[in-house]
């Protein structure tokens, strides 16, 4: 019998995420997937799931779930209070949630995105090989709503004994390595110096599509317009206001603004946990 989770509280934005849909950019389909992939993999490892098993990714305010059968869950990523039927439970370690009880994932006390993994994984219907919600293209399951029911897969192996896990903390300052982008020559030398020396801040208008910044604008050396061209994960695009935008997992696969630099994928997990107002610096890799 399939285990089901009823959404008691969906939170600001809770989506199903796994390792995403790499390899479909030529079809206009973004990568999607967990923004903090290391947190997703660690939560799954603690439950004996496959590393890329689907989880729930919450945003700032958490969520609350009620299983119809006993389940074991791990809440990791952004630190937050965890309760089961109002009683404090462990964050970052396996927690047994009896049938009919409410697992409440509270608001993040630091960082942005918490991950709720369940033994067996979230069993949403895959689209193009992934169960991930893609906010830009609309592929995959819709973001959770109050009262919505999601299925849980059958665990492939017993849940391992609880162990202490080294969860990285959210960044107090976000330092992102960059490599020069294909359109770096569209900016003045002064703008390029500013880009790698100034301190920006993470904008509250950031989302799964892109991390927006607040800080000094970058002056163009060329005032021309680009035809739409391919965009990669981690591209730092500069729109007309001159303030860099870092493309994250739900980014568009094409764009017409110049890309001044690219952030390597391993550095993006920290960007996923950088709250609004976090100081941000770009450094040449």
């Amino acid at each position: 019998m399939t285990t089901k989770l009823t959404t008691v509280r969906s939170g600001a934005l809770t989506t199903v995420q796994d390792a995403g849909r790499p390899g479909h950019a030529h079809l206009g389909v973004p990568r999607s997937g967990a923004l903090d992939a290391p947190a997703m993999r660690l939560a799954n490892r603690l439950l004996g799931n496959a590393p890329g098993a689907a989880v729930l990714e919450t945003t700032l305010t958490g969520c609350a779930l009620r299983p119809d059968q006993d389940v074991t869950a791990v809440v990791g990523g952004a630190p937050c209070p965890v309760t089961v039927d109002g009683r404090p439970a462990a964050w970052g370690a396996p927690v047994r949630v009896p049938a009919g009880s409410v697992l409440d994932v509270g608001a993040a006390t630091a960082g942005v995105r918490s991950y709720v993994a369940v033994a067996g994984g979230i069993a949403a219907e895959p689209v193009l090989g992934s169960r991930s919600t893609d906010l830009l293209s609309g592929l995959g399951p819709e973001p959770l709503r109050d009262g919505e029911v999601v299925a849980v897969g059958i665990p492939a192996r017993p849940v391992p004994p609880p162990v202490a896990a080294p969860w990285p903390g959210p960044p107090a300052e976000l330092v992102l390595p960059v490599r020069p982008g294909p359109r770096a020559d569209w900016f003045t030398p002064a703008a390029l110096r500013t880009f790698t020396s100034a301190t920006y801040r993470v904008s509250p208008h950031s989302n799964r599509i892109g991390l927006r910044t607040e800080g000094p604008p970058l002056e163009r050396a060329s005032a021309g317009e680009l035809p739409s061209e391919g965009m990669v994960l981690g591209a730092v695009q500069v729109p007309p206001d001159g303030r860099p935008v870092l493309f994250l997992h739900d980014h568009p696969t094409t764009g017409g603004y110049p890309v001044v630099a690219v952030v390597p994928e391993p550095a993006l997990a920290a960007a996923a946990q950088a709250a609004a107002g976090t100081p941000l610096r770009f450094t040449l890799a």
Side-chain angles (χ1 to χ4, degrees):
M1 182 177 178
T2 302
T3 299
K4 295 181 173 61
L5 302 175
T6 298
T7 307
V8 177
R9 178 176 62 82
S10 56
L13 176 66
T14 300
T15 59
V16 177
Q17 299 296 338
D18 57 15
R21 299 182 180 86
H24 297 289
H26 64 294
L27 301 175
V29 177
R31 167 84 64 91
S32 66
L35 292 191
D36 187 347
M40 173 194 70
R41 291 193 292 264
L42 180 52
N44 277 323
R45 189 178 306 126
L46 291 171
L47 292 169
N49 290 342
V55 301
L56 298 178
E57 179 184 272
T58 74
T59 308
L60 292 173
T61 61
C63 68
L65 308 161
R66 179 187 291 114
D68 66 350
Q69 300 183 54
D70 293 359
V71 298
T72 303
V74 168
V75 180
C80 61
V82 180
T83 63
V84 175
D85 277 347
R87 295 184 295 274
W91 172 89
V95 172
R96 181 177 175 274
V97 185
S101 296
V102 174
L103 171 67
D104 192 278
V105 179
T109 57
V112 178
R113 294 172 174 89
S114 299
Y115 290 86
V116 185
V118 182
I122 302 298
E125 190 68 27
V127 178
L128 292 177
S130 171
R131 294 180 165 89
S132 288
T133 301
D134 182 341
L135 298 180
L136 186 65
S137 71
L139 294 178
E142 292 286 328
L144 262 63
R145 300 182 296 269
D146 291 357
E148 189 169 357
V149 175
V150 294
V152 176
I154 299 172
R157 56 184 68 87
V159 175
V163 295
W167 293 92
E173 179 186 38
L174 183 60
V175 179
L176 294 175
V178 293
R179 301 188 181 107
R183 302 300 177 184
D185 59 350
W186 276 52
F187 298 89
T188 66
L192 297 177
R193 287 193 298 271
T194 296
F195 177 62
T196 56
S197 63
T199 297
Y200 290 85
R201 290 192 178 274
V202 175
S203 166
H205 300 294
S206 302
N207 54 28
R208 281 187 50 87
I209 295 171
L211 184 148
R212 294 184 175 273
T213 65
E214 297 174 341
L218 303 182
E219 181 184 3
R220 284 195 191 183
S222 171
E225 295 297 328
L226 277 171
S228 191
E229 57 187 2
M231 294 289 147
V232 298
L233 179 65
V236 181
Q237 193 183 60
V238 183
D241 69 3
R243 290 171 176 84
V245 177
L246 169 62
F247 275 176
L248 300 177
H249 289 60
D250 287 359
H251 72 87
T253 56
T254 61
Y257 299 137
V259 172
V260 66
V262 177
V263 175
E265 184 175 347
L268 297 178
Q273 297 295 3
T278 300
L280 162 62
R281 292 188 296 114
F282 297 100
T283 63
L284 284 174

